[in-house]
């Protein structure tokens, strides 16, 4: 399971590190599957109050046990109600940080639109998820809210030890957010990943015969 550290853990770790997220902040993670599930745990381990947003209720049910203080199902809420719920949570959290720290980790046009729509005064938006599909946004919101948007592709090697330490210290749980499949299922798994129908991060494991890789 440690194989997922090299991407699914270290990429959200780097996004959160760059945001300088701390215990005075409210973090909003959009998309809590095989990447965002780790993002929630990292943010919670740093002491932030965490909101988890997804369209899959099963994912939201899992993440409540791993650091999310509030879960919101975007498939059943209007954008205005979603933003209102986040703002209400931020007020009740009594955090002194200025502006939400929002992280888009779904890699879908809908998720990116949702994340951008949550921008508020002084907010920070970290773009972690990737989609080749175009997304229509009003970039002037960055100016109007004096907000910041930043993306990252992976994580510098020198940051790997700190991310791995969080795993070894059990601040990040891997098992609830990964699923292991035989290597021969690769075509089906890759298709499921492309369709965003995977519940968790997929690991493809080569077949073994008599203790040796086949």
């Amino acid at each position: 399971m440690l194989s997922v550290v090299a991407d699914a853990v270290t990429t959200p770790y780097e996004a959160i590190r760059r945001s300088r997220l701390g215990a005075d902040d409210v973090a909003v993670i959009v998309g809590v599957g095989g990447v965002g599930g780790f993002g929630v745990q990292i943010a919670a381990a740093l002491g932030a109050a965490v909101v988890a947003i997804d369209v899959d209720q099963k994912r939201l049910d899992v993440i409540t046990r791993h650091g999310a203080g509030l879960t919101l199902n975007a498939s059943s809420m209007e954008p205005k109600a979603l933003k209102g719920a986040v703002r209400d949570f931020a007020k009740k959290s009594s955090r002194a940080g200025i502006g939400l720290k929002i992280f888009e980790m779904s890699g879908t046009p809908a998720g990116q639109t949702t994340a951008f729509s949550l921008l508020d005064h002084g907010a920070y938006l970290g773009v972690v998820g990737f989609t080749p599909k175009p997304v229509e946004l009003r970039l002037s919101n960055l100016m109007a809210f004096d907000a910041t948007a930043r993306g990252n592709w992976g994580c510098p090697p020198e940051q790997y030890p700190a991310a791995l330490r969080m795993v070894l210290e059990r601040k990040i749980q891997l098992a609830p957010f990964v699923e292991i499949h035989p290597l021969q299922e690769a075509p089906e798994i890759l298709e499921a990943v492309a369709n965003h129908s995977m519940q968790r991060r997929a690991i493809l494991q080569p077949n073994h015969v008599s203790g040796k890789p086949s």
Side-chain angles (χ1 to χ4, degrees):
M1 287 189 292
L2 286 172
S3 63
V4 301
V5 172
D7 177 38
V9 172
T10 54
T11 300
Y13 174 86
E14 176 64 10
I16 291 170
R17 186 187 72 85
R18 291 184 185 186
S19 77
R20 299 183 180 180
L21 183 78
D24 281 336
D25 294 312
V26 174
V28 183
I29 311 295
V30 180
V32 293
V35 173
F38 299 127
V40 169
Q41 295 183 76
I42 294 165
L46 294 173
V50 186
V51 180
I53 299 176
D54 206 294
V55 295
D56 190 311
Q57 191 58 46
K58 290 181 180 178
R59 289 177 177 175
L60 293 172
D61 292 341
V62 171
I63 207 63
T64 58
R65 302 189 293 273
H66 296 279
L70 173 68
T71 60
L72 298 171
N73 192 323
S75 68
S76 60
M77 298 180 69
E78 294 295 328
K80 187 175 181 179
L82 199 69
K83 189 166 188 175
V86 172
R87 282 179 171 175
D88 187 55
F89 175 82
K91 289 178 181 178
K92 292 179 178 178
S93 71
S94 301
R95 302 302 164 112
I98 298 175
L100 299 172
K101 294 195 174 176
I102 306 159
F103 302 92
E104 201 299 299
M105 300 193 184
S106 75
T108 66
Q112 293 186 350
T113 300
T114 294
F116 196 81
S117 73
L118 293 173
L119 286 177
D120 212 336
H121 296 284
Y124 178 100
L125 173 62
V127 181
V128 180
F130 173 81
T131 174
K133 298 178 181 178
V135 178
E136 186 174 334
L137 302 170
R138 189 175 68 183
L139 286 178
S140 294
N141 283 17
L142 291 172
M143 177 278 294
F145 291 125
D146 195 11
T148 300
R150 185 176 184 180
N152 65 290
W153 190 278
C155 177
E158 61 267 23
Q159 296 300 328
Y160 273 54
L164 183 58
R165 192 177 306 117
M166 294 186 79
V167 175
L168 298 178
E169 292 175 354
R170 307 289 183 179
K171 294 178 180 178
I172 300 174
Q173 298 292 323
L174 300 180
F177 302 94
V178 301
E179 50 189 85
I180 300 174
H181 298 267
L183 183 60
Q184 62 264 32
E185 293 181 10
E188 294 87 352
I189 297 301
L190 291 174
E191 183 177 358
V193 170
N195 294 332
H196 294 277
S197 59
M198 296 291 297
Q199 288 290 325
R200 295 170 287 183
R201 196 70 168 181
I203 298 173
L204 295 174
Q205 181 171 299
N207 296 331
H208 287 70
V209 178
S210 300
K212 296 181 179 181
S214 59

